[in-house]
Amino acid sequence: EEFGAELAIAVPTGAGGNIAGAVMAREMGVPLGRITVCTNANDIVHRALSSGELRAGQNVATVSPAMDIQTAYNLERVLYYAADKNAATIATIFKVS
């Protein structure tokens, strides 16, 4: 592709850190287009975004142990940018006062 064209990337995720990093890089001016997120059997981020419920499931040992978690502790960061940096919206979603 020509220099300056948007890049489509795929990132692995367990807790959402790689997604958060990609979104922050985009915010800083890196020309990222589509960000595809990859999970394993411990798909807490996928389940949370698909169902709207952030609920831990059974932790399954896989060949990608860095992704074998049930706590999406970076999800707030990703949603913050998705909500146009509206902290009040994120606080409402996570019921934080």
Side-chain angles (χ1 to χ4, degrees):
E1 295 184 37
E2 71 180 65
F3 182 74
E6 285 189 345
L7 301 173
I9 62 170
V11 295
T13 193
N18 291 336
I19 307 165
V23 170
M24 288 179 200
R26 181 192 292 161
E27 285 289 315
M28 293 169 46
V30 174
L32 294 179
R34 183 181 180 107
I35 301 169
T36 301
V37 179
C38 308
T39 65
N40 64 12
N42 300 290
D43 61 347
I44 183 66
V45 171
H46 176 266
R47 284 184 284 116
L49 295 176
S50 296
S51 71
E53 291 186 37
L54 185 59
R55 186 175 307 209
Q58 180 78 24
N59 196 33
V60 178
T62 71
V63 296
S64 51
M67 295 168 55
D68 292 348
I69 62 168
Q70 289 296 321
T71 306
Y73 50 82
N74 286 293
L75 193 55
E76 292 95 334
R77 291 179 180 101
V78 174
L79 293 177
Y80 173 74
Y81 287 103
D84 200 26
K85 302 177 190 172
N86 187 326
T89 297
I90 302 309
T92 299
I93 290 170
F94 286 92
K95 297 182 177 85
V96 176
S97 55

